[in-house]
Amino acid sequence: MTTAPSDSSSRSTSTLPSQVGVLGGGRMGAGIAHAFAVNGSSVVVVDRDDPSIDGARQRVEKAVHQSVSRGLVPDAESVLARCTFSTDVGSFAGCGLVVEAVPEDLDLKVAALRSAEQVLAPGSALASNTSSLSLDTIAAQLERPSEFIGMHFFNPVPASTLVEIVSAATTSSELTAQALGWVEALGKTGISVVDSPGFASSRLGVAIALEAMRMVEEGVASAQDIDLAMELGYKHPSGPLKTTDIVGLDVRLGIAEYLESTLGPRFAPPKILRDKVARGDHGRKTGRGFYDWKDGS
C-alpha cells in the first residue's frame, strides 16, 4: 500500500472540479453523480440509451430528495439544476473529471473509457469505479495513462464514507494526491492503494463473504446468525452476507471468479453462490439473495 504524496507543488487537493462527468447511470453511477452535485459540481450523466438515462435521472432525483429530507441539503431544486443527462458522450467536453461506472466487464470498461478520453482535454482526469479489475491493464489501452486513476466508491454512495483511490503504475503522483483531495471535499475518507487484484477492500471483503457462504453451505449457522456474529462481535455495520445481498450476488461472483483466476483457489466461489446467481437470486435488487427483501428493505 502506498501513502498519498504530500508534495506542496501538487495541484490543489481540496477543490472539486467545476464540471464532472459520470459514464453509466446505474445505482453506482447515480450515487457518484449525487455526491458531486450536492457538493457543488455541475454533473453530466451519460448512459447508452433513453430508457437508461431516464432511469439514471430518477435515481439521482430520488437520492437528492432523500438528502433534503434528512436535512443534509437545503433544497433539491438547486442541486438538480446542476445535473444534466445525455446519451451523447460528447457531453463530457469541458469536464475536469469523468468517472466511469459501467458494469464490471473489462472490455466494456475499456471501450467506455476510451470513448470518454477522446472528448476530454489534456489535463482532465479519467477515473474508473472498478472494484477489482486491473488498472494497469486498462491504462495500457488509453492514450493518456498518466491521467487515469481508480476511484472505487462504495454502495450506497450517499451513505458510504469510504473511497478507494487506486493508482496504476502510470498514474501521476499529482493525480493521486488530487483524487484524495476530491474525496475529502466530498466529505468522505480516501485510502490510497496500488493496483493489485481486488485492491484492498474487495479482496478482504470477498474473502470474508466467501467463508461466510461456505459456513451457510455446511450448516454451521444461519445467514442471520453469521451476520450477527460479525456485527455484534466485530462491530461490522453490516454482516458479510447482508452486504453481499446489497452489493449483488452476481457482482460478488464476478469478483470472486476474477480473484480466483489471479490469486488462486482460495477465492473459488462456493456452490451456494453459483446456484443462487443461476436462479436469479441476486440479492436486494431482485428481492432475494441470502435474505428475502421486500421493497428493498
Side-chain angles (χ1 to χ4, degrees), residues 179-261:
L180 287 164
W182 290 335
V183 171
E184 182 180 2
L186 292 173
K188 300 180 185 296
T189 299
I191 62 170
S192 178
V193 303
V194 296
D195 185 36
S196 60
F199 315 138
S201 59
S202 292
R203 185 165 170 175
L204 288 170
V206 169
I208 294 170
L210 293 178
E211 188 58 30
M213 293 174 202
R214 294 185 188 102
M215 291 169 68
V216 172
E217 198 170 54
E218 294 166 8
V220 173
S222 68
Q224 291 89 339
D225 285 346
I226 291 168
D227 278 350
L228 279 173
M230 299 307 293
E231 291 166 4
L232 302 180
Y234 290 86
K235 304 304 181 184
H236 287 202
S238 175
L241 298 169
K242 189 181 296 179
T243 299
T244 294
D245 273 11
I246 294 169
V247 170
L249 276 69
D250 54 332
V251 174
R252 277 277 161 98
L253 175 59
I255 295 172
E257 289 175 334
Y258 173 71
L259 293 178
E260 181 187 18
S261 70

Side-chain angles (χ1 to χ4, degrees), residues 9-297:
S9 65
S10 294
R11 290 175 283 185
S12 170
T13 61
S14 60
T15 304
L16 292 173
S18 59
Q19 292 180 265
V20 174
V22 178
L23 184 52
R27 182 184 294 271
M28 290 302 298
I32 294 167
H34 165 273
F36 281 98
V38 299
N39 284 284
S41 295
S42 295
V43 178
V44 56
V45 180
V46 172
D47 215 322
R48 62 184 182 274
D49 53 34
D50 289 337
S52 297
I53 209 64
D54 287 343
R57 181 183 292 104
Q58 292 170 16
R59 283 184 281 272
V60 172
E61 289 176 350
K62 180 179 179 181
V64 171
H65 284 293
Q66 287 175 337
S67 292
V68 172
S69 67
R70 292 169 183 159
L72 303 176
V73 178
D75 70 279
E77 185 177 353
S78 61
V79 175
L80 293 173
R82 293 194 288 270
C83 300
T84 57
F85 301 85
S86 176
T87 58
D88 180 12
V89 74
S91 301
F92 290 147
C95 288
L97 165 68
V98 168
V99 183
E100 165 272 312
V102 302
E104 199 77 350
D105 176 89
L106 180 62
D107 292 339
L108 180 61
K109 284 188 178 289
V110 168
L113 288 160
R114 291 182 68 175
S115 68
E117 186 181 44
Q118 294 302 310
V119 300
L120 289 180
S124 297
L126 186 62
S128 175
N129 184 54
T130 180
S131 58
S132 63
L133 297 177
S134 169
L135 272 291
D136 288 335
T137 299
I138 297 172
Q141 301 184 64
L142 299 176
E143 294 180 4
R144 300 191 296 273
S146 66
E147 298 174 357
F148 172 65
I149 196 165
M151 292 185 72
H152 176 207
F153 290 79
F154 288 75
N155 184 29
V157 178
S160 174
T161 57
L162 176 67
V163 181
E164 195 170 29
I165 300 301
V166 188
S167 298
T170 52
T171 303
S172 71
S173 59
E174 187 180 32
L175 177 56
T176 299
Q178 190 174 36
L180 287 164
W182 290 335
V183 171
E184 182 180 2
L186 292 173
K188 300 180 185 296
T189 299
I191 62 170
S192 178
V193 303
V194 296
D195 185 36
S196 60
F199 315 138
S201 59
S202 292
R203 185 165 170 175
L204 288 170
V206 169
I208 294 170
L210 293 178
E211 188 58 30
M213 293 174 202
R214 294 185 188 102
M215 291 169 68
V216 172
E217 198 170 54
E218 294 166 8
V220 173
S222 68
Q224 291 89 339
D225 285 346
I226 291 168
D227 278 350
L228 279 173
M230 299 307 293
E231 291 166 4
L232 302 180
Y234 290 86
K235 304 304 181 184
H236 287 202
S238 175
L241 298 169
K242 189 181 296 179
T243 299
T244 294
D245 273 11
I246 294 169
V247 170
L249 276 69
D250 54 332
V251 174
R252 277 277 161 98
L253 175 59
I255 295 172
E257 289 175 334
Y258 173 71
L259 293 178
E260 181 187 18
S261 70
T262 54
L263 296 175
R266 67 185 186 274
F267 285 99
K271 184 175 184 297
I272 189 173
L273 176 60
R274 293 190 182 279
D275 288 348
K276 284 180 177 291
V277 171
R279 287 197 302 268
D281 296 341
H282 294 176
R284 181 172 65 177
K285 60 190 173 185
T286 61
R288 183 185 293 272
F290 286 95
Y291 292 81
D292 288 331
W293 298 81
K294 183 179 179 181
D295 299 326
S297 63

